[in-house]
């Protein structure tokens, strides 16, 4: 124990309330259908690309003008099945398509920097699937290039664009939980041996796909830790199978995080403050519910919302479109600093585990 706990001001915005309110605030997320329509190019034809297109089409006015793949046949088939008018047989052809406003990068993690740079250097805005980069060095390359070309480079950390997390943001900013003392988060999903997460060449392992949700929540809630300890195990294919992390900030908040691809866990998050504790339902990164329990009285407040799971990917598309329309190249929902802090934790955990 290095130092006594100091008071923690959650995120420093807004006034601090006294006690838990009688009702929870409403979400400030604006109707996604009112967001301006951009012309999107989709770089990659995998599972997440399909989910993103389906969600955005059903819930926003966004237009999908083209898709790109390393195989023209694959691009044509993907485009045909989804009614996308143009298919490109190379990523270079996609990013230089003059009909495109923004590129959604949906390739495996190991290609995010390369494909993000390709889009940026073609003068296109880019929304890159999480994690935006494998390390802080890659992230800074992307952001510096975006600044040079005057385009948006946004991490697609979709969870924080959901109405649920906007309500939680308000509770934190208003100090409803008091001083945040402890964060607990786990993300465990059993994934079959043929899943790409088992492949070292695609930056597989539980950290990039699953643990990064824990790290992002840590950065978003209590900030960048100054002390991190981690332990984990390798799978037979040489990727990190599971990890346990203990972290602490200078302000005294601690985080207990775990992630695994070897089994399925509750996937809950707990944000415990000096006045109240917030606990999410299973699948904290999905839409859904949470409870706030006041310590002094035991009073419980409940938040619920529909849970279409990945059908809610559209919120990030709408937010990005709104920002670009007014000439903003960053969103306060998930900032560059949020991406930097999350990637820093990822770097630190890897260092503790002795992996690159």
């Amino acid at each position: 124990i290095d130092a006594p706990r100091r008071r923690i001001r959650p995120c420093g915005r807004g006034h601090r309330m006294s006690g838990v309110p009688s009702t929870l605030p409403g979400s400030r997320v604006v109707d996604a259908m009112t967001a301006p329509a951009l012309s999107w190019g989709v770089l990659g034809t995998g599972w997440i690309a399909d989910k993103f297109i389906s969600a955005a089409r059903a819930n926003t006015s966004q237009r999908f003008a083209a898709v790109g793949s390393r195989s023209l046949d694959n691009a044509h088939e993907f485009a045909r099945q989804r009614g996308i008018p143009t298919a490109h047989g190379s990523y270079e052809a996609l990013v230089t398509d003059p009909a495109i406003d923004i590129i959604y990068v949906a390739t495996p993690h190991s290609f995010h920097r390369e494909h993000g740079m390709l889009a940026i250097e073609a003068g296109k805005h880019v929304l890159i699937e999480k994690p935006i980069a494998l390390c802080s060095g890659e992230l800074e390359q992307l952001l510096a290039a975006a600044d040079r070309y005057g385009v948006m480079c946004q991490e697609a950390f979709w969870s924080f664009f959901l109405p649920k997390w906007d309500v939680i943001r308000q509770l934190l900013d208003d100090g409803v939980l008091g001083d945040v003392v402890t964060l607990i988060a786990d993300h465990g999903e059993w994934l079959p041996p043929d899943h790409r997460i088992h492949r070292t060449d695609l930056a597989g392992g539980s950290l990039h796909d699953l643990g990064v949700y824990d790290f992002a929540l840590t950065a978003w809630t209590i900030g960048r830790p100054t002390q991190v300890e981690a332990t984990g195990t390798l799978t037979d294919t040489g990727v990190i199978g599971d990890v346990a992390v203990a972290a602490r900030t200078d302000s005294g908040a601690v985080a207990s995080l775990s992630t695994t691809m070897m089994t399925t866990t509750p996937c809950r998050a707990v944000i415990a403050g000096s006045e109240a504790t917030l606990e999410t339902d299973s699948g904290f990164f999905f839409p859904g519910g949470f409870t706030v329990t006041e310590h002094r009285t035991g009073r419980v407040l409940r938040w619920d919302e529909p849970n279409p799971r990945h059908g809610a990917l559209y919120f990030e598309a709408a937010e990005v479109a709104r920002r670009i329309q007014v000439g903003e190249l960053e969103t306060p929902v998930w900032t560059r600093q949020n991406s930097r802090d999350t990637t820093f934790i990822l770097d630190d955990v890897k260092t503790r585990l002795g992996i690159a």
Side-chain angles (χ1 to χ4, degrees):
I1 300 174
D2 299 319
R5 185 180 304 280
R6 297 196 294 275
R7 289 182 64 79
I8 304 162
R9 300 296 182 184
C11 307
R13 298 200 302 269
H15 63 281
R16 290 182 60 83
M17 301 178 67
S18 177
V20 177
S22 57
T23 60
L24 294 174
S27 168
R28 300 166 297 186
V29 176
V30 180
D31 181 2
M33 276 294 186
T34 65
L38 298 184
S39 179
W40 291 74
V42 179
L43 196 155
T45 57
W47 180 87
I48 194 65
D50 179 63
K51 294 295 184 183
F52 180 79
I53 293 167
S54 297
R57 273 188 167 162
N59 299 280
T60 77
S61 60
Q62 304 309 301
R63 301 187 303 268
F64 291 92
V67 62
S69 173
R70 290 171 296 182
S71 160
L72 184 57
D73 287 345
N74 187 42
H76 272 307
E77 182 61 17
F78 187 90
R80 183 190 65 79
Q81 292 181 2
R82 292 155 188 83
I84 297 175
T86 303
H88 293 291
S90 73
Y91 299 141
E92 291 78 7
L94 174 71
V95 301
T96 55
D97 186 333
I100 300 301
D101 299 317
I102 182 170
I103 299 292
Y104 172 60
V105 173
T107 46
H109 317 313
S110 51
F111 298 106
H112 285 181
R113 187 205 64 82
E114 175 187 344
H115 295 155
M117 290 292 287
L118 197 67
I120 290 167
E121 290 173 352
K124 296 294 196 297
H125 302 293
V126 62
L127 178 65
I128 304 176
E129 257 309 318
K130 59 84 196 161
I132 188 171
L134 297 181
C135 64
S136 295
E138 288 188 356
L139 173 60
E140 294 305 328
Q141 290 175 23
L142 286 164
L143 297 181
D147 287 342
R148 288 197 304 273
Y149 285 87
V151 297
M152 173 181 278
C153 179
Q154 178 65 47
E155 184 171 24
F157 227 118
W158 72 290
S159 299
F160 298 98
F161 293 82
L162 301 174
K164 173 177 76 176
W165 288 102
D166 176 68
V167 174
I168 295 174
R169 176 80 277 153
Q170 293 177 67
L171 297 176
L172 291 172
D173 288 350
D174 289 340
V176 170
L177 304 184
D179 297 321
V180 178
V181 176
T182 298
L183 170 69
I184 304 169
D186 84 277
H187 189 172
E189 293 183 44
W190 180 88
L191 293 163
D194 60 349
H195 192 281
R196 61 166 175 77
I197 200 171
H198 292 273
R199 294 176 54 177
T200 56
D201 60 320
L202 297 181
S206 62
L207 288 179
H208 297 129
D209 272 276
L210 311 178
V212 71
Y213 284 99
D214 296 352
F215 306 154
L217 182 59
T218 301
W220 188 84
T221 304
I222 62 174
R224 180 184 294 190
T226 52
Q227 293 176 275
V228 173
E229 297 296 334
T231 184
T233 56
L234 290 173
T235 68
D236 292 340
T237 64
V239 300
I240 292 291
D242 51 37
V243 178
V245 176
R248 183 182 185 276
T249 67
D250 273 346
S251 59
V254 296
S256 177
L257 315 171
S258 64
T259 180
T260 179
M261 54 188 266
M262 312 307 292
T263 188
T264 297
T265 65
C267 297
R268 289 193 175 93
V270 175
I271 306 171
S274 58
E275 301 295 328
T277 293
L278 185 152
E279 182 173 359
T280 71
D281 293 349
S282 182
F284 73 85
F285 39 84
F286 285 131
F290 66 85
T291 59
V292 175
T293 304
E294 187 175 30
H295 300 328
R296 180 173 52 84
T297 65
R299 185 162 55 95
V300 177
L301 297 178
R302 175 75 187 173
W303 167 270
D304 281 298
E305 65 184 5
N307 183 4
R309 295 173 68 85
H310 292 95
L313 283 165
Y314 66 90
F315 286 107
E316 61 188 1
E319 171 64 12
V320 165
R322 290 183 190 283
R323 298 295 167 180
I324 289 174
Q325 183 196 40
V326 297
E328 297 178 7
L329 302 181
E330 183 177 16
T331 169
V333 176
W334 184 256
T335 66
R336 285 181 166 197
Q337 193 59 48
N338 292 142
S339 293
R340 284 184 165 115
D341 289 344
T342 300
T343 309
F344 177 87
I345 298 171
L346 180 63
D347 288 348
D348 214 354
V349 170
K350 288 180 179 179
T351 298
R352 298 297 182 272
L353 296 173
I355 60 176

